[in-house]
Amino acid sequence: MIKSTKSVGIIGTGSFVPEKVLTNNDLEKLVDTSDEWIRKRTGISERHVLDEDVPNYTMGIEAAKRALEDAGVEPEEIDLIIVSTETPDYMSPSMACIIQGAIGAVNAAAFDINAACTGFIYSLSVAQQFIANGVYKHALVIGCEGLSKIVDWKDRNTCILFGDASGAVVLGVVDEGYGILDLFLGSNGAEGMKITIPNLYISEEEKKKRPNGKFNSLWMDGKEVFKFAVKAMSTATMHVLDNLNLDISELDFIFPHQANTRIIDGAIKKLGITDDKIHYIINKYGNISSASIPVAMDEAQRKGKLKKGDNMLLVAFGGGLTWGSMAIKWNK
Ligand code: COA
């Protein structure tokens, strides 16, 4: 259990998804694939992508503005901005600094975190500490990912899976007993080469995995990642539930990272959870990495699916390898 002085929770949510849609039928024209194969093996029907000449941070700016509006918090009242991203437009400045400048959060400290698809939970965990300890009052946590820019559009193993989007939340002090109840973070760097996106260095081995010559593209060992994902989601879930002495049946909502419907279904079956507790977005957005949890959360909130007092669980896995979970008593 987290021993903190203040209860910290989500007081505003926002998201942004680019307009342009790429359907499975569109992909049939790019690679040797079929709508049926993609839907059956992944649950994805379409994904949204940014135009090539539009930077990824533009999505984060919009999502951040919407979250601030929802929270009723002015940009000047934000003390901390953390952006989770594995697709930053610049190595420097960070995406968090770019967004800070754009929204006028002049009093905020700003930095990025890269824990791949688990990054939103990592970022929330870091921001939570600052508020719980009374150092800061408000934090903006954003998952912002433009994977279309780091996908090899000639590689059918990966290009069908990913999309672009951003989701944001504002964290603040909430009534005692509400907000973030517990969290768990895991990493295993020894298995890290199972998902790679080279940046300034690429080994000969990594080059061979990219026969089309796009050396900064995402490569993964899909089968191995699949097995890891199902296991990681179940262990991370049980970790926080055990800590809180909470039975799985007491969860009202689950926000898993959405990479493949079969991974989610495999994990929830193992845990004995029904799929009506999940707001699925993967069919229309694909895998949007660390934006998937905040985008799903924002949509569920705006559709009126969440109510005050709901027990919810966020759970994710991704490159690194990383995985993590967080239990929240919804306070909005
Ligand atoms: N269309 C048609 N066929 C495809 C294809 C596509 N888009 N992509 C792969 N195939 C082919 C493969 O080449 C393989 O053919 P082969 O048997 O002749 O070699 C066949 O389909 C089966 O491939 P396989 O890898 O066994 O498929 P799968 O059922 O494991 O599904 C993934 C592949 C990538 C969808 C799945 O492994 C997965 O989702 N892994 C985890 C991905 C993930 O979560 N990554 C992000 C982490 S955050």
Side-chain angles (χ1 to χ4, degrees):
M1 286 277 273
I2 298 164
K3 302 272 181 284
S4 50
T5 46
K6 292 182 169 73
S7 296
V8 181
I10 291 169
I11 60 170
T13 66
S15 62
F16 177 84
V17 181
E19 250 174 54
K20 189 168 153 190
V21 175
L22 207 56
T23 65
N24 291 348
N25 291 329
D26 294 329
L27 290 177
E28 284 176 359
K29 292 170 199 138
L30 294 180
V31 287
D32 181 12
T33 190
S34 68
D35 173 49
E36 194 199 351
W37 192 96
I38 302 172
R39 274 191 288 110
K40 220 164 147 186
R41 300 289 184 113
T42 69
I44 301 167
S45 299
E46 55 188 39
R47 66 288 294 139
H48 291 236
V49 293
L50 272 181
D51 284 331
E52 257 174 68
D53 58 352
V54 179
N56 292 339
Y57 65 74
T58 55
M59 298 185 290
I61 293 170
E62 269 315 305
K65 285 181 181 168
R66 292 172 190 183
L68 286 172
E69 194 188 346
D70 186 46
V73 169
E74 295 300 323
E76 299 80 12
E77 295 177 88
I78 294 293
D79 306 300
L80 175 67
I81 300 176
I82 303 181
V83 176
S84 160
T85 185
E86 56 180 333
T87 50
D89 302 286
Y90 291 85
M91 292 305 292
S92 185
S94 65
M95 209 184 251
C97 282
I98 295 172
I99 294 171
Q100 179 208 13
I103 64 172
V106 289
N107 297 311
F111 58 90
D112 290 355
I113 284 183
N114 177 354
C117 302
T118 321
F120 186 71
I121 294 179
Y122 268 70
S123 301
L124 275 183
S125 307
V126 174
Q128 187 260 354
Q129 313 296 320
F130 281 101
I131 301 174
N133 296 330
V135 177
Y136 292 143
K137 264 175 90 176
H138 294 116
L140 187 54
V141 179
I142 305 165
C144 185
E145 304 282 12
L147 291 136
S148 65
K149 291 191 172 63
I150 50 104
V151 153
D152 175 358
W153 290 102
K154 291 181 187 152
D155 177 11
R156 70 174 183 175
N157 293 296
T158 49
C159 77
I160 55 138
L161 294 170
F162 299 98
D164 303 339
S166 178
V169 299
V170 178
L171 284 188
V173 175
V174 296
D175 292 342
E176 211 181 319
Y178 287 88
I180 297 168
L181 305 176
D182 194 38
L183 62 93
F184 165 78
L185 304 175
S187 313
N188 181 5
E191 301 286 330
M193 298 316 265
K194 284 180 176 160
I195 310 178
T196 53
I197 310 171
N199 181 25
L200 300 178
Y201 166 77
I202 180 160
S203 66
E204 287 307 314
E205 199 182 331
E206 288 292 315
K207 277 186 187 169
K208 280 186 203 138
K209 293 173 183 170
R210 295 165 178 81
N212 300 322
K214 184 166 178 184
F215 293 139
N216 67 342
S217 63
L218 186 151
W219 174 91
M220 69 178 165
D221 183 339
K223 270 195 194 332
E224 283 298 306
V225 174
F226 194 105
K227 281 188 267 175
F228 152 72
V230 174
K231 198 169 155 209
M233 298 244 276
S234 332
T235 44
T237 298
M238 290 321 295
H239 206 102
V240 290
L241 292 185
D242 287 348
N243 271 356
L244 293 165
N245 261 329
L246 208 62
D247 189 78
I248 199 112
S249 61
E250 293 174 83
L251 287 178
D252 301 293
F253 239 91
I254 298 169
F255 290 100
H257 167 50
Q258 304 197 22
N260 183 327
T261 314
R262 289 192 294 134
I263 293 177
I264 303 171
D265 293 348
I268 62 173
K269 195 170 160 203
K270 215 167 158 178
L271 290 161
I273 299 169
T274 49
D275 62 5
D276 57 325
K277 294 187 174 176
I278 295 173
H279 178 71
Y280 285 93
I281 56 168
I282 183 162
N283 54 324
K284 50 182 185 171
Y285 300 148
N287 181 347
I288 48 176
S289 188
S290 70
S292 82
I293 290 176
V295 168
M297 193 180 264
D298 181 51
E299 285 196 4
Q301 163 68 16
R302 283 172 200 264
K303 282 186 156 69
K305 286 187 172 183
L306 312 179
K307 51 184 194 309
K308 190 165 180 170
D310 274 354
N311 287 321
M312 60 173 66
L313 182 95
L314 323 188
V315 58
F317 62 91
L321 298 174
T322 56
W323 62 102
S325 59
M326 179 176 274
I328 296 177
K329 191 174 271 296
W330 196 240
N331 46 268
K332 265 175 75 68

